[in-house]
Amino acid sequence: MDKKTENSINNRAMKIIVFFIMAFIMIVIRLFWIQLVKGQEYRHEAEKQHIREIRVSPARGNIFDRNNIQLTNNTAEKTIYIFRDVVLKDSQILERIKETFNLSEKDIEIIKKSNNRIVEIPLGEVVEDNTFIKGIVIEDRIIRYDGSNLLAHVIGYIKESENIGEYGIEKEYDDILKMNETSGIKYVTVDGKQRIIPGLNDTEAISEKRYVTNSIKLTVDIDMQKSVERVMDARKVNGAIVVTDVETGDILAMASRPNLNQNNIKANFNSDDMDFYNKAIEVAYPPGSIFKIIVLLAAIEEDLSDIDDTFICEGYVDLGSFKIKCNNTDGHGELTVYKAFSESCNSVFIQIGQKVGAKKIINMAKKLGFGEKIQNILIESRGNLPKNDELLGPSIGNISIGQSNIEVTPLQVSNMMMIIVNDGVKREIGIVDSIVTEEGKFVKKVERAKEERVLPVDLCKQVKKCLEGVVDVGTAKNIDMSNIGGAAGKTGSAENGKKNTHAWFSGYFPRKNPRYVLTVFIEEGGSGSKTSVPIFEEVAKSIYSIEMNKKHK
């Protein structure tokens, strides 16, 4: 073999060796990539063939009341999870599921037509957890709302398919309440026949630890809330009731009727009663004689009248272009401002309004928070106050008795009463106490504005004397609050645009060292004295009873 041939063979051999070395290196690299770099991903994909994911609780934090009572995610219902890709392949399985769990034809149609890979059907009857049927899982599923719809207009509701808050606290604090989508997911392992293997990888995945900030604590006392809603439902009234803590400004109860169905919002779609509005804050109404408080405050502050001054009521006031009748069409005759306020005399308060002037009355209303939002978390109406030409001429007649185009919310009325009860000091009203963990541990306080004096002490004391007179000798004398320390307040009956009359009563109790302000507004309830005052009495006594029970525990 000549040297040239030998070199050629050696070159070929070397190339083959290099090729095999490179191939070996490539194989090693590929194996390294598969085993170490992508190994976990491939293992996960392989495991997915035998693992199913089911949601057993919402991926949202909790909402608590002031006493850390959980208001959401607090109820479990037995649920059957049906894997459609397995069940629909075998009609015998579907039939067995129907017979075993007593499902209706409607349930079967849902299973067949659903676009979801897994169909969840609540089970009304108690079933054994050890029921083994191919393609199903039975679990206790935590539901967001327990069906009571308690505090529904405050808590709000979510769009479950997207886990997005659409109304109320659910919407306003969605960024805090919304958790990682893997939270609340349970992994279950199935065998080759798609039957659940109990205990194997049977764990709930909660990616966010319990101390993570994902929950909200309200100022509401759920026992007081239940009491308020019970009274409204028993009397079958629409409207709103607000209970506030005099010392702190905390909203202890806030109810609106008609109520919402949090688990089936569509049920409210066809209603004409503004079900989707929280009438305590989102809808403004004419205040009627409640507004006489503002007129009285403005008159005393301007030194244009005193509660002992006397006026003559002839049963009406002639304003030139029209007349306004008093609630006593025969006339009250001669009476003091104190007596006129107690008996809600329109005639006297129009005369007082004429002395004060519309502009000063409206300025006093603004000072007391009318025309502005009271809290800064939930959606709220500012209401309406007359301005410019609306303040001129005979309009003073309607302004003085809370008609005209004056519109206020029940919360604004509560805010006014809070300022008077606190001797002229404004304490910001709020409904959210703090941001907390999923277990209710404190994280951060929701700050409010500092206290501000808006009225002199002496002025408030004179008005409180008149508010006491309403209960003692006036339009609210039909109630007996002596066993809970007495009460004070003001009635109102206000016509709306349909010529129907809304019923108001806003007051406080006990009379000495007041603890609560309670505002009752009943849509188209007629007389405040006949409708709202008895509701005030019932709610106030119930709250007092709740307070006493807690003290004795």
Side-chain angles (χ1 to χ4, degrees):
M1 182 185 298
D2 58 20
K3 193 165 183 71
K4 185 176 180 181
T5 302
E6 182 180 352
N7 287 337
S8 178
I9 292 172
N10 287 339
N11 287 336
R12 286 180 184 178
M14 183 59 68
K15 288 179 180 179
I16 292 171
I17 292 169
V18 170
F19 172 78
F20 278 109
I21 290 173
M22 292 299 294
F24 179 75
I25 291 172
M26 292 293 291
I27 291 170
V28 170
I29 291 173
R30 181 61 178 168
L31 288 173
F32 175 81
W33 176 259
I34 292 173
Q35 291 289 330
L36 298 180
V37 178
K38 301 289 286 185
Q40 186 173 354
E41 179 182 336
Y42 291 149
R43 277 195 302 274
H44 181 64
E45 289 298 318
E47 288 173 355
K48 282 175 66 176
Q49 304 301 316
H50 294 282
I51 292 177
R52 299 287 182 136
E53 296 180 358
I54 58 174
R55 178 164 295 286
V56 294
S57 64
R60 292 184 77 79
N62 295 317
I63 298 174
F64 297 91
D65 89 330
R66 68 186 296 108
N67 299 310
N68 270 20
I69 296 174
Q70 196 169 317
L71 306 179
T72 54
N73 299 351
N74 60 3
T75 302
E77 63 179 5
K78 194 71 70 176
T79 302
I80 177 174
Y81 295 83
I82 301 171
F83 305 133
R84 292 182 69 253
D85 59 337
V86 176
V87 170
L88 295 183
K89 289 179 181 178
D90 191 335
S91 60
Q92 291 183 343
I93 296 177
L94 192 59
E95 189 61 30
R96 186 182 172 195
I97 292 171
K98 180 182 177 182
E99 292 177 0
T100 303
F101 303 107
N102 195 26
L103 300 185
S104 66
E105 288 296 334
K106 184 179 179 182
D107 292 329
I108 299 303
E109 283 301 305
I110 290 173
I111 296 170
K112 289 180 178 179
K113 295 181 179 180
S114 175
N115 294 322
N116 298 324
R117 186 170 171 231
I118 299 174
V119 178
E120 304 170 9
I121 297 181
L123 297 174
E125 300 178 2
V126 178
V127 297
E128 297 291 333
D129 288 350
N130 61 356
T131 303
F132 296 107
I133 299 177
K134 182 179 179 180
I136 72 160
V137 181
I138 302 169
E139 286 288 343
D140 288 323
R141 181 172 72 96
I142 303 297
I143 56 177
R144 184 64 175 170
Y145 311 116
D146 63 11
S148 68
N149 299 314
L150 193 64
L151 198 64
H153 284 90
V154 173
I155 293 173
Y157 52 86
I158 63 172
K159 186 175 184 179
E160 192 171 3
S161 61
E162 299 178 20
N163 190 27
I164 295 175
E166 290 204 317
Y167 179 66
I169 295 295
E170 294 278 28
K171 178 181 179 180
E172 304 307 325
Y173 283 94
D174 188 60
D175 56 336
I176 290 175
L177 291 167
K178 190 172 183 178
M179 299 166 65
N180 188 300
E181 283 302 312
T182 59
S183 298
I185 293 293
K186 188 170 186 177
Y187 300 111
V188 292
T189 305
V190 296
D191 62 15
K193 294 184 178 181
Q194 298 297 313
R195 293 174 302 191
I196 304 304
I197 304 175
L200 185 58
N201 205 27
D202 185 19
T203 56
E204 184 177 348
I206 301 179
S207 61
E208 300 182 36
K209 295 182 179 179
R210 297 288 180 180
Y211 55 77
V212 171
T213 304
N214 60 10
S215 298
I216 303 296
K217 182 176 180 179
L218 304 179
T219 62
V220 172
D221 183 306
I222 205 60
D223 291 327
M224 294 185 186
Q225 182 71 27
K226 287 178 182 177
S227 175
V228 167
E229 296 197 24
R230 175 185 55 77
V231 172
M232 293 190 79
D233 291 339
R235 292 175 179 263
K236 298 179 181 180
V237 294
N238 289 341
I241 294 179
V242 182
V243 182
T244 50
D245 185 304
V246 169
E247 187 175 342
T248 64
D250 288 347
I251 294 173
L252 301 174
M254 177 183 281
S256 178
R257 286 295 184 271
N259 206 4
L260 287 173
N261 186 337
Q262 293 168 293
N263 288 319
N264 183 19
I265 293 301
K266 292 181 180 179
N268 297 90
F269 282 175
N270 296 323
S271 172
D272 296 324
D273 293 324
M274 297 190 293
D275 303 25
F276 288 97
Y277 291 87
N278 182 345
K279 294 175 182 177
I281 56 176
E282 292 182 57
V283 187
Y285 302 89
S289 292
I290 289 283
F291 203 72
K292 289 172 182 172
I293 297 173
I294 298 294
V295 178
L296 181 60
L297 284 166
I300 297 174
E301 183 177 63
E302 294 296 325
D303 202 23
L304 294 172
S305 186
D306 184 86
I307 64 173
D308 295 322
D309 288 350
T310 58
F311 288 80
I312 302 295
C313 168
E314 297 178 344
Y316 69 93
V317 174
D318 189 343
L319 293 159
S321 56
F322 60 93
K323 294 180 180 180
I324 295 180
K325 293 180 180 180
C326 186
N327 56 351
N328 182 344
T329 55
D330 293 330
H332 288 98
E334 184 177 4
L335 69 174
T336 64
V337 172
Y338 168 86
K339 188 68 173 175
F341 186 88
S342 300
E343 297 188 9
S344 204
C345 175
N346 287 342
S347 177
V348 168
F349 269 83
I350 292 172
Q351 294 175 61
I352 295 173
Q354 289 173 321
K355 291 177 67 176
V356 177
K359 187 175 180 180
K360 290 179 180 178
I361 291 173
I362 297 305
N363 285 341
M364 176 58 73
K366 291 178 180 179
K367 191 182 293 188
L368 273 292
F370 292 107
E372 299 294 336
K373 293 182 179 181
I374 302 303
Q375 51 83 55
N376 58 4
I377 293 174
L378 297 173
I379 297 171
E380 184 179 348
S381 169
R382 294 178 181 273
N384 187 70
L385 292 173
K387 56 183 180 294
N388 302 327
D389 291 348
E390 298 170 336
L391 302 176
L392 302 178
S395 62
I396 187 63
N398 282 320
I399 289 172
S400 299
I401 59 173
Q403 292 292 159
S404 185
N405 54 354
I406 301 171
E407 292 181 338
V408 304
T409 68
L411 187 65
Q412 287 176 331
V413 172
S414 288
N415 180 65
M416 171 189 68
M417 193 63 68
M418 284 276 293
I419 292 171
I420 294 168
V421 174
N422 281 308
D423 289 330
V425 174
K426 178 184 176 182
R427 291 189 175 125
E428 185 176 359
I429 294 174
I431 200 163
V432 177
D433 177 82
S434 53
I435 313 300
V436 297
T437 68
E438 194 172 356
E439 293 181 330
K441 298 289 179 63
F442 175 83
V443 175
K444 182 182 179 182
K445 189 77 173 175
V446 174
E447 298 297 332
R448 298 183 204 165
K450 292 182 178 180
E451 294 182 357
E452 176 189 4
R453 175 163 294 283
V454 295
L455 295 174
V457 175
D458 289 344
L459 174 58
C460 293
K461 285 184 176 180
Q462 289 189 68
V463 174
K464 281 194 284 186
K465 183 177 179 180
C466 291
L467 293 169
E468 292 171 5
V470 172
V471 176
D472 291 341
V473 297
T475 54
K477 64 183 179 182
N478 56 321
I479 60 173
D480 181 9
M481 307 287 284
S482 57
N483 60 339
I484 66 169
K490 182 71 186 77
T491 56
S493 303
E495 288 187 359
N496 63 13
K498 300 176 183 178
K499 298 300 179 182
N500 295 315
T501 303
H502 299 314
W504 289 90
F505 187 76
S506 182
Y508 56 89
F509 65 96
R511 182 173 292 185
K512 187 177 181 180
N513 300 319
R515 294 201 56 194
Y516 307 103
V517 163
L518 169 57
T519 297
V520 178
F521 168 78
I522 305 302
E523 276 185 330
E524 300 181 5
S527 164
S529 177
K530 294 178 180 179
T531 303
S532 293
V533 169
I535 292 175
F536 177 95
E537 179 182 17
E538 186 175 356
V539 172
K541 289 179 177 178
S542 179
I543 289 173
Y544 179 80
S545 178
I546 291 168
E547 182 184 41
M548 291 299 101
N549 288 337
K550 287 181 178 180
K551 283 183 178 180
H552 292 132
K553 283 185 178 179

